[in-house]
Amino acid sequence: MRVVSGIQPTGKPHLGNYLGAIRNYVAFQDQAEASGGQSLYFLADLHAISVAHDPAALAANTREMVATLVACGLDPARSILFNQAQVPQHTELQWLLSGSARMGWLNRMTQWKDKAGKNREGASVALFTYPVLQAADVLLYQATHVPVGDDQKQHLELARDIAQKFNNDFASEAAPVFTLPDPIIPPQAARIMSLRDGAAKMSKSDPSDMSRINLTDDADTIMTKIKKAKTDPEPLPSEAKGLEGRAEAANLVGIYAVLAGTTEAQVLRRFGGQGFGAFKPALGELLIEKLAPINDRFNLLRQDVTALDTILREGAARARTLAVPTLEAAYAALGLVRG
Ligand code: TYM
């Protein structure tokens, strides 16, 4: 079992990142270890330069993100934690895969369409080729399992398509160069929505901080954001089908259920018939209870920049060792002479 996943160190990590992805990174850290495999989690700092960014903020966010991952339960002694910029094999493999990726495949990526918007001519080349780097990120390590939220499913399907085409064109069926990775999408919380708009996903790039719960928010901020979350005037239904067409209510009930380790039906059995005046404080309290320990650990860890840099440097050295054989196999398969 080889588990690989990445997170962009842009902005602050939020509840969507935690419930949709980071929580599962921690679960897969255990599973990989139990199976005698290895988990690797990285900060996708090279992906972050595909849109306008502030270099000083990127460096600060990179360290904050590694502190967050450790605060959430990733252990650098058990998982390999690193940032892409210290493992040049990612960008090397991206170029080698660029010969197999098709323009049409990239043109269909919804994230490219969303982020480029109407201004495709003005978008960076990196934003367009971003999914090829993402494919390299996982194929480089022969990933078998890639825990991600729902919004990354399409990118992982593309990674499989690229791997399959490369294997078909340049390797034999008996000795493929790349393993086809499986995206692992959680059954609950795969898409946490904005607190201001039940039709938009919770996102680091939303200009309104009220739209998300950051993992670094303190208790008062969490409660304020939940109390101000957009809802409708109806009381909560007693059954899950009553949430249909009520995106904001469904989102809050979903968050409660996953944090409490239960189902939406159970939550509604308890809160059905009650208004948000009763439900929101209960949700706020639950969030505070679950996030406070993470917050405390984060506040300690973030202060020791040297320790954070050591985690990344040592993780990168281990990642490079694992990356080299696959990269060399890709060069060889393509007929590129290396000394
Ligand atoms: P990023 O940084 O946007 O998000 C990191 C992880 O959090 C998940 N996520 C969510 N899950 C549920 N609800 C939400 N509102 C929500 N928002 C984000 C994402 O699905 C993701 O799992 N391109 C990737 C980073 C990346 C990567 C990779 C991931 C680069 N290379 C290779 C996996 C494998 C990204 O921008 O994620």
Side-chain angles (χ1 to χ4, degrees):
M1 191 175 192
R2 182 60 69 76
V3 182
V4 180
S5 199
I7 185 164
Q8 285 198 63
T10 43
K12 293 180 176 142
H14 53 70
L15 188 66
N17 297 130
Y18 179 63
L19 296 179
I22 301 173
R23 223 167 39 110
N24 298 314
Y25 299 171
V26 179
F28 272 101
Q29 167 175 265
D30 296 340
Q31 283 190 41
E33 199 174 53
S35 74
Q38 177 69 61
S39 52
L40 299 97
Y41 299 109
F42 62 90
L43 313 181
D45 49 3
L46 294 177
H47 279 100
I49 67 164
S50 59
V51 291
H53 82 287
D54 169 3
L58 178 58
N61 287 336
T62 299
R63 294 186 175 108
E64 291 213 341
M65 190 63 90
V66 72
T68 305
L69 294 181
V70 175
C72 288
L74 291 185
D75 177 353
R78 297 167 64 208
S79 292
I80 299 179
L81 302 184
F82 65 100
N83 58 318
Q84 284 169 322
Q86 297 197 65
V87 187
Q89 287 79 6
H90 286 243
T91 38
E92 279 184 77
L93 184 61
Q94 180 195 10
W95 182 254
L96 302 189
L97 296 177
S98 293
S100 294
R102 305 287 94 181
M103 295 286 286
W105 298 352
L106 296 182
N107 261 322
R108 279 195 287 278
M109 293 295 112
T110 51
Q111 194 160 305
W112 153 249
K113 290 192 253 184
D114 288 350
K115 288 201 175 168
K118 291 205 172 67
N119 185 22
R120 286 198 183 185
E121 295 294 310
S124 73
V125 173
L127 190 64
F128 186 66
T129 59
Y130 174 119
V132 186
L133 178 59
Q134 185 157 344
D137 295 336
V138 294
L139 300 180
L140 189 55
Y141 301 103
Q142 306 287 347
T144 54
H145 297 69
V146 186
V148 284
D150 186 59
D151 63 342
Q152 295 302 318
K153 192 165 170 231
Q154 194 187 31
H155 285 159
L156 268 302
E157 281 162 0
L158 178 87
R160 289 175 66 93
D161 289 343
I162 292 174
Q164 203 145 29
K165 180 162 169 55
F166 189 105
N167 285 341
N168 283 343
D169 292 351
F170 304 112
S172 70
E173 217 168 296
V177 174
F178 298 116
T179 303
L180 300 194
D182 277 326
I184 310 287
I185 317 264
Q188 278 180 308
R191 184 177 283 262
I192 300 292
M193 308 312 280
S194 156
L195 300 179
R196 309 301 300 164
D197 174 4
K201 70 174 181 182
M202 188 177 283
S203 154
K204 300 182 203 109
S205 54
D206 191 313
S208 166
D209 197 57
M210 294 302 283
S211 70
R212 61 184 161 258
I213 304 285
N214 302 309
L215 295 185
T216 49
D217 284 344
D218 62 22
D220 288 348
T221 310
I222 292 175
M223 193 55 94
T224 306
K225 285 180 176 177
I226 291 296
K227 286 194 174 157
K228 293 208 167 144
K230 186 179 164 205
T231 41
D232 54 47
E234 301 298 318
L236 282 169
S238 307
E239 289 177 18
K241 69 173 180 323
L243 290 172
E244 278 166 26
R246 298 178 66 185
E248 285 85 8
N251 189 39
L252 296 186
V253 170
I255 292 171
Y256 191 104
V258 69
L259 283 173
T262 180
T263 60
E264 292 185 2
Q266 285 287 3
V267 177
L268 294 176
R269 225 163 278 152
R270 176 163 163 213
F271 289 100
Q274 298 187 46
F276 287 98
F279 179 66
K280 281 179 167 179
L283 174 59
E285 288 301 336
L286 183 60
L287 273 163
I288 291 164
E289 178 198 322
K290 298 288 178 189
L291 298 186
I294 295 177
N295 211 324
D296 292 347
R297 283 194 294 272
F298 169 77
N299 283 322
L300 275 180
L301 289 161
R302 69 186 300 196
Q303 290 166 20
D304 195 344
V305 172
T306 312
L308 297 173
D309 284 351
T310 303
I311 292 174
L312 293 178
R313 194 179 54 250
E314 292 180 356
R318 292 166 72 197
R320 287 194 297 266
T321 306
L322 291 179
V324 164
T326 301
L327 182 66
E328 290 306 325
Y331 274 117
L334 291 166
L336 295 161
V337 177
R338 307 265 288 167

